[in-house]
Amino acid sequence: MAFYITLWEVDMDSKVSIDWKKTACILCECNCGLEVQLGGEDGRRLVRFRGDKAHPASQGYACEKPHRLDHYQNGSERLTQPLRRKPDGTFEPIDWDTAIQEVTARLKKIEETYGGDTIMYYGGGGQGNHLPGAYATATRRVFGSRYRSNALAQEKTGEFWVSHRMLGIQTRGDFEHCEVALFLGKNPWFSHGIPRTRTTLKEMAKDPGRKMIVIDPRRTKTAQLADIHLQVKPGTDAWLLSAMISILLKDELTDNTFIEEKTTGFSAIAEAFKEIDVSAYCSHAGVPEELVREAVQVIGKAKSFASYEDLGVQMNHHSTLVSYLHRMLWLLTGNFGRKGTHYSPTTLVNIANGNVKRNSPVTQAPLIGGLIPCNSIADEILTEHPQRFRGMLIETANPAHSLADSPKFREALEALDTVVVIDIAMTETAKCADYILPASTQFEKAEATFFNFEFPENYFQLRPAILEPIDGPLPEAEIHARIVEAAGGLDDVPMDELRVAAQQGLAEYTQAFAMHVAMNPARVGVAPAILYRTLGPALPKEQAEGAVLFGLVLKAAMQFPEPLARAGFDGSPMDAAVKLFDAIIEHPAGVVFAIERWEDVPQKVATPGGKIRLELPELLEEVAKLTAGPIQADPAYPFVLSAGERRSFTANTIFRDDTWRKKDAEGALRISPEDAQKLGLQEENEVLLTTRRGSARVRVSITDTMRPGHISLPNGMGLDGSTHSLGGIALNELTEAASKDAFAGTPFHKYVPAQIEVV
């Protein structure tokens, strides 16, 4: 098993602990298992790292990124006490009791005056920082807050909606065993997304019996490893995929047995794609037709095919339509429910919910998975509508920097009656708050991730705190419990009885919890706070925040008895839940909680009738509109800017200093040699980059990995520190909130019309 050991350089005179503490990386959704040694003068530096061989998914693998995590733990922007905004806009420190009482009173006043629906929650899902989202449900319930959003709503909701409509379930690809892999708008070499990513990519590239196909406007590191790179024009993926589907049908490369037995609506698909002019569509996409046909032949003849779409298309034109067309490639070829194809994992939390039950109160945007589209949030506030939002609770998130049109979003925050931010650092969003509540870092408390999608064995890791909390900040679980208590949410709960039961053992606690909480609808909403206050003290101190998992484990034991039983967690739902929760506590490296079988995957389809729906009428209407050809570029903005490219030294905004960047510290604008020559540019020249929303000066980097007309800037840059402005461009000073997908409302960050002027 290949793995990397990464070391952080420290002063040789400083003390380094010999103990390796189990935790996980928090820089991408994989959350690879790590072992960490502590050191430095105070023993609080994250000094040495190695992949944890005991981790069920990563199995000792780790890329080079984790050795930078000390910049997160010991960042200069750390908050250490609650802050309250003064009338002049500055902040003053206050004690925790005052902060909790005033925050509770402010939110309660909004609820009593305008209704709890006017309090919005944003957060619940930083990379690896997921437990706060569970505890926040208790705070939301006690104030009657119903509306929420997070980063998924500007990335994945279109894909979730399509998957829900077509299959009723979430799906993933088996890249470890597939014969052919397709990466669509994704560069896993840097963005990862699958276990042991770089090892898997290298194995695939070296195996002559396997093929890799990449669809991306840039010649990324992954594209360089690929057998076929379809270097599509930005924003034309819908034409390319439509051409590929048409070729599949015309060349009779579909799995007709699978289509007949497992799907409905095929005749509508055949009708929609039969007349497509493949040559014209390939021309629109800027990809040679012969290369497209070769790729389709490889896919159609593969014994197993797995594919992965990501932000390159999910933040681009026709994003929801592209998610639909992408699924058509592997469904029409029958690549579902077999080893090396696509599957549906058993998860403790369904973060990929694509259901739509209601709309937002002002703009009437569909809430996919209950999430308000991020590009609609400001419009839900900046209005005289009686149901507009009046307050926001923002947790472990920085929407004033990460969402489109930052100036407009800041204006919206200023228009609210109350803004409460829970975070570890003075972020751009925190600077707009009325109250800032400082939180513990992910290494000072127990934490977990819900990005667990493995198959046939899926795992869960509750990683314990590896550092004592510093004075001042509190874990989010404690913050939420205090707010719920201050609001009276636990007044009628027999807390002492539950605490006694927890000390007696998990079996006794299970019975008491079922009787006093699970069977009482009024208490279920505040169950996370109850669990933390009663079960939490009975757990090891470094795992106390994991108490909320017990409710999720109990639910999983009732929903998925067979996969859990195959993993050793059998018996009644209560017995299985007790066994699983104990195992999670006892195995800090992670535990396999579910074991699935490939033959059971087709039976998971949860559509009415149990068959896969190929026909989605509203998206087939969009397919018909493609005959008009792509929208012509505005001559005033001849370039397409990808606002947010993942590079070697980017990490969203989790690192709030610039000393960790060893390369490209300012985040250069990448441009093709052809465009550089036309503009008379040399390497490192400065240009003025202008979009319809704003302008910024930036240095250029000339690279043949870019198509002519396509430029890119990295994510996570342009932070406004407390002492100085950090390097790079704050991309969302240049993006527009109105530039979004018609179905899911996801932004077109990867397609921002721009112009360049030589400075």
Side-chain angles (χ1 to χ4, degrees):
M1 182 67 64
F3 68 97
Y4 302 88
I5 297 179
T6 54
L7 298 181
W8 176 261
E9 295 181 2
V10 296
D11 186 336
M12 295 300 291
D13 294 329
S14 64
K15 183 179 179 181
V16 180
S17 169
I18 62 173
D19 295 329
W20 288 95
K21 297 182 178 294
K22 291 186 181 295
T23 185
C25 180
I26 58 174
L27 297 178
C28 85
E29 72 170 67
C30 289
N31 297 112
C32 296
L34 295 177
E35 292 184 305
V36 179
Q37 284 185 331
L38 304 176
E41 293 300 322
D42 58 0
R44 298 186 61 84
R45 310 292 298 202
L46 308 186
V47 177
R48 294 193 176 118
F49 301 82
R50 67 186 183 191
D52 185 359
K53 295 180 181 179
H55 190 272
S58 56
Q59 301 173 7
Y61 171 90
C63 71
E64 84 284 357
K65 293 181 181 181
H67 78 269
R68 306 163 192 164
L69 283 171
D70 190 68
H71 288 275
Y72 160 79
Q73 173 59 39
N74 293 292
S76 60
E77 300 288 309
R78 186 74 189 272
L79 295 168
T80 59
Q81 54 190 343
L83 299 174
R84 176 177 59 199
R85 180 184 291 277
K86 297 193 295 184
D88 65 1
T90 62
F91 289 95
E92 62 181 344
I94 55 176
D95 61 75
W96 271 108
D97 286 344
T98 300
I100 295 297
Q101 292 300 324
E102 291 190 6
V103 164
T104 302
R106 292 277 291 262
L107 295 177
K108 197 68 177 176
K109 182 179 180 181
I110 293 175
E111 179 196 8
E112 292 172 348
T113 306
Y114 304 107
D117 283 0
T118 65
I119 301 172
M120 183 188 166
Y121 173 75
Y122 188 96
Q127 294 289 16
N129 198 58
H130 288 175
L131 295 183
Y135 285 109
T137 59
T139 297
R140 293 174 56 221
R141 178 61 64 90
V142 83
F143 293 112
S145 171
R146 297 175 62 214
Y147 294 103
R148 63 188 177 95
S149 191
N150 58 42
L152 288 174
Q154 71 166 352
E155 298 172 351
K156 300 291 184 181
T157 44
E159 178 187 10
F160 293 168
W161 182 71
V162 168
S163 191
H164 176 78
R165 299 280 307 284
M166 296 184 79
L167 297 103
I169 52 174
Q170 171 192 7
T171 59
R172 300 280 284 194
D174 179 11
F175 293 94
E176 185 177 358
H177 302 105
C178 66
E179 180 182 306
V180 175
L182 169 67
F183 296 107
L184 173 61
K186 180 169 183 63
N187 179 19
W189 187 266
F190 284 135
S191 65
H192 298 272
I194 56 178
R196 302 170 53 252
T197 302
R198 293 183 179 180
T199 298
T200 300
L201 292 176
K202 289 178 180 178
E203 290 173 350
M204 198 178 302
K206 291 178 181 179
D207 189 339
R210 305 178 72 186
K211 299 289 184 183
M212 191 191 314
I213 303 169
V214 169
I215 299 177
D216 200 304
R218 296 184 298 114
R219 195 173 79 254
T220 63
K221 176 64 176 178
T222 308
Q224 293 171 24
L225 292 172
D227 299 277
I228 299 175
H229 176 204
L230 304 179
Q231 196 168 7
V232 62
K233 288 181 182 178
T236 63
D237 301 88
W239 284 270
L240 175 60
L241 293 174
S242 294
M244 295 174 74
I245 293 169
S246 182
I247 295 169
L248 274 178
L249 294 167
K250 293 173 181 177
D251 289 2
E252 299 182 352
L253 295 170
T254 55
D255 185 335
N256 295 328
T257 300
F258 177 87
I259 291 171
E260 182 177 351
E261 294 179 356
K262 306 295 185 183
T263 75
T264 63
F266 175 70
S267 60
I269 302 304
E271 180 69 22
F273 290 92
K274 70 177 182 179
E275 298 300 330
I276 281 178
D277 186 336
V278 170
S279 296
Y281 277 36
C282 290
S283 178
H284 293 328
V287 183
E289 180 182 348
E290 60 273 17
L291 193 60
V292 176
R293 291 187 177 276
E294 179 186 349
V296 175
Q297 289 291 321
V298 169
I299 293 170
K301 294 177 180 179
K303 295 178 182 177
S304 59
F305 168 57
S307 60
Y308 198 138
E309 65 175 78
D310 211 349
L311 305 190
V313 293
Q314 292 170 342
M315 288 183 163
N316 214 324
H317 283 289
H318 299 104
S319 57
T320 300
L321 173 60
V322 167
S323 292
Y324 177 53
L325 299 175
H326 164 227
R327 273 159 181 71
M328 209 77 71
L329 282 179
W330 53 266
L331 288 172
L332 292 177
T333 51
N335 283 286
F336 177 66
R338 293 181 290 106
K339 188 174 182 179
T341 66
H342 294 82
Y343 58 83
S344 179
T346 291
T347 59
L348 288 184
V349 177
N350 178 21
I351 68 166
N353 180 10
N355 198 10
V356 177
K357 294 184 179 179
R358 64 184 189 273
N359 292 44
S360 66
V362 175
T363 66
Q364 292 298 299
L367 306 188
I368 300 173
L371 301 176
I372 292 182
C374 294
N375 281 38
S376 299
I377 295 174
D379 290 329
E380 298 284 339
I381 300 169
L382 297 172
T383 173
E384 295 302 316
H385 194 286
Q387 291 180 280
R388 67 186 183 275
F389 293 134
R390 306 282 182 159
M392 280 189 74
L393 175 59
I394 303 171
E395 182 170 54
T396 319
N398 190 9
H401 185 275
S402 62
L403 303 191
D405 200 339
S406 291
K408 184 176 181 179
F409 196 86
R410 290 193 295 268
E411 179 187 357
L413 291 179
E414 291 294 332
L416 291 167
D417 294 0
T418 299
V419 178
V420 180
V421 167
I422 302 174
D423 213 319
I424 72 166
M426 180 59 83
T427 66
E428 287 71 19
T429 304
K431 292 175 182 178
C432 300
D434 296 294
Y435 293 88
I436 307 172
L437 307 181
S440 302
T441 71
Q442 294 192 46
F443 301 113
E444 297 169 351
K445 61 176 182 174
E447 197 41 90
T449 176
F450 298 139
F451 295 136
N452 314 106
F453 308 123
E454 312 324 318
F455 190 96
E457 296 184 352
N458 203 6
Y459 78 98
F460 191 86
Q461 181 187 19
L462 174 67
R463 53 187 190 273
I466 62 174
L467 287 167
E468 288 289 330
I470 63 173
D471 291 337
L474 296 174
E476 294 95 338
E478 179 67 28
I479 295 172
H480 286 293
R482 292 188 184 191
I483 293 174
V484 172
E485 288 167 336
L490 304 184
D491 287 353
D492 70 338
V493 181
M495 302 293 283
D496 289 340
E497 188 172 339
L498 288 166
R499 289 190 185 99
V500 170
Q503 294 299 327
Q504 292 173 342
L506 196 55
E508 290 79 4
Y509 183 82
T510 303
Q511 294 180 351
F513 183 81
M515 179 173 62
H516 294 300
V517 182
M519 304 301 291
N520 187 325
R523 295 173 182 169
V524 169
V526 293
I530 296 172
L531 286 163
Y532 178 67
R533 281 287 187 248
T534 58
L535 179 58
L539 300 177
K541 178 183 176 182
E542 65 274 12
Q543 293 175 299
E545 293 81 16
V548 72
L549 295 175
F550 183 72
L552 301 177
V553 164
L554 186 58
K555 183 178 179 181
M558 292 186 287
Q559 287 184 317
F560 315 115
E562 293 183 7
L564 266 63
R566 283 193 286 269
F569 308 109
D570 52 4
S572 69
M574 285 192 179
D575 288 343
V578 169
K579 292 178 183 178
L580 177 53
F581 189 78
D582 278 339
I584 289 173
I585 297 297
E586 293 168 3
H587 295 84
V591 60
V592 172
F593 75 92
I595 298 178
E596 308 249 30
R597 301 181 301 189
W598 278 104
E599 58 266 31
D600 295 334
V601 172
Q603 282 68 54
K604 286 190 169 190
V605 173
T607 57
K611 289 196 172 185
I612 298 166
R613 296 178 59 197
L614 298 179
E615 180 184 5
L616 299 185
E618 57 270 73
L619 292 178
L620 288 180
E621 289 179 9
E622 296 299 306
V623 171
K625 295 177 183 178
L626 296 178
T627 56
I631 298 174
Q632 297 302 309
D634 183 347
Y637 299 94
F639 291 93
V640 173
L641 168 67
S642 284
E645 177 192 347
R646 191 70 62 88
R647 297 181 186 174
S648 180
F649 284 85
T650 58
N652 300 320
T653 61
I654 198 168
F655 297 151
R656 296 195 62 83
D657 66 65
D658 48 8
T659 61
W660 69 282
R661 293 195 176 100
K662 305 303 181 186
K663 299 178 182 178
D664 192 27
E666 296 295 320
L669 179 74
R670 288 181 173 170
I671 188 171
S672 73
E674 295 92 330
D675 289 329
Q677 184 177 20
K678 289 179 182 178
L679 293 169
L681 292 173
Q682 303 286 330
E683 186 75 10
E684 292 292 310
N685 279 173
E686 189 174 57
V687 298
L688 181 66
L689 175 68
T690 301
T691 70
R692 296 188 180 102
R693 190 63 181 95
S695 298
R697 287 174 176 254
V698 62
R699 298 192 181 277
V700 300
S701 173
I702 303 169
T703 169
D704 61 5
T705 63
M706 303 297 295
R707 285 188 63 112
H710 187 210
I711 53 180
S712 70
L713 283 170
N715 61 302
M717 312 287 276
L719 303 181
D720 186 11
S722 59
T723 59
H724 67 289
S725 181
L726 307 181
I729 302 301
L731 294 174
N732 285 307
E733 302 293 326
L734 305 178
T735 58
E736 294 180 291
S739 183
K740 59 186 178 180
D741 180 73
F743 293 92
T746 45
F748 295 155
H749 285 344
K750 307 300 183 184
Y751 195 104
V752 180
Q755 60 176 249
I756 295 174
E757 297 177 61
V758 180
V759 176

